[in-house]
Amino acid sequence: MLKITPTDLPEVMVLEHEKYIESRGFSYSNFSQRELKEAGIQTDFIEENVYCPKTAGTLYGIHFQNNPMAQAKLLYCTRGRGLDYAVDLRKSSKTYRQWVCVELSEANRKQLYLPKGFGHTFLSLEDDTNVVMKIDCYFNPEYRRGIAWNDPDINIKYPVDKLILAQHDIDAPFLKDSDCNL
């Protein structure tokens, strides 16, 4: 059974699959397209990517793809622990520039669903964390975009003082200077 909890951004949801415990251990469904559709999530995921930051404090994002190649995402950790952020980048939305954060971990088995129109950021909190990201639209470098991780108009508060960033995240523009068209 799938439990869905809305966040402060109503379209972004936390998913939790029921765990079945028995004498040999436990099991759970990690993904069911049928359960997602029954819950009103009409997304067909076509690819799954795994990110493996070696060091706690590694930050990915704020990443997204512009229209017409915008992506919906489903994320979860298979090892370690991290914070997953969803940022509303839809200019017509009443929650534009607002963000939510959910801790994802191997232990809590939570998943975060982000529909099209949201930027995504992940911060590893433990060494050797693995995060899985399902997407509904293939990566396309022509539409790949980023927003500065420290954009003052978004104002994400990260609980780590020294972040490890890729050069493309360091060089990403502020939202007001980007060509974001979500």
Side-chain angles (χ1 to χ4, degrees), residues 89-161:
L89 297 176
R90 302 167 301 163
K91 293 177 183 171
S92 62
S93 170
K94 66 181 180 179
T95 57
Y96 177 57
R97 297 186 317 207
Q98 293 180 27
W99 54 272
V100 294
C101 176
V102 174
E103 183 175 311
L104 304 180
S105 71
E106 177 182 7
N108 72 18
R109 297 181 301 103
K110 290 182 180 180
Q111 299 180 352
L112 187 64
Y113 172 74
L114 289 75
K116 295 176 189 290
F118 287 79
H120 172 251
T121 302
F122 183 81
L123 172 65
S124 64
L125 296 176
E126 293 181 2
D127 292 348
D128 299 314
T129 291
N130 291 352
V131 63
V132 177
M133 179 174 67
K134 293 182 184 297
I135 53 176
D136 73 334
C137 180
Y138 291 112
F139 171 75
N140 186 314
E142 181 181 345
Y143 295 95
R144 176 188 188 185
R145 298 293 188 275
I147 301 296
W149 60 275
N150 58 349
D151 187 302
D153 290 330
I154 297 172
N155 199 28
I156 294 177
K157 304 294 185 198
Y158 301 103
V160 174
D161 292 328

Side-chain angles (χ1 to χ4, degrees), residues 13 18 27 45 48 54 64-66 68 76 79 89 104 112 131 136 141-142 145 147 150-151 159 170 182:
M13 295 174 260
E18 186 174 1
S27 65
F45 294 105
E48 183 175 276
K54 292 183 339 182
F64 63 98
Q65 282 192 177
N66 259 342
Y76 57 94
R79 181 168 60 187
L89 297 176
L104 304 180
L112 187 64
V131 63
D136 73 334
E142 181 181 345
R145 298 293 188 275
I147 301 296
N150 58 349
D151 187 302
I170 293 168
L182 299 174

Side-chain angles (χ1 to χ4, degrees), residues 50-81:
V50 180
Y51 298 88
C52 306
K54 292 183 339 182
T55 307
T58 301
L59 183 71
Y60 295 84
I62 303 169
H63 298 154
F64 63 98
Q65 282 192 177
N66 259 342
N67 285 318
M69 302 300 287
Q71 297 172 316
K73 299 175 180 179
L74 180 66
L75 299 114
Y76 57 94
C77 274
T78 57
R79 181 168 60 187
R81 179 170 77 94

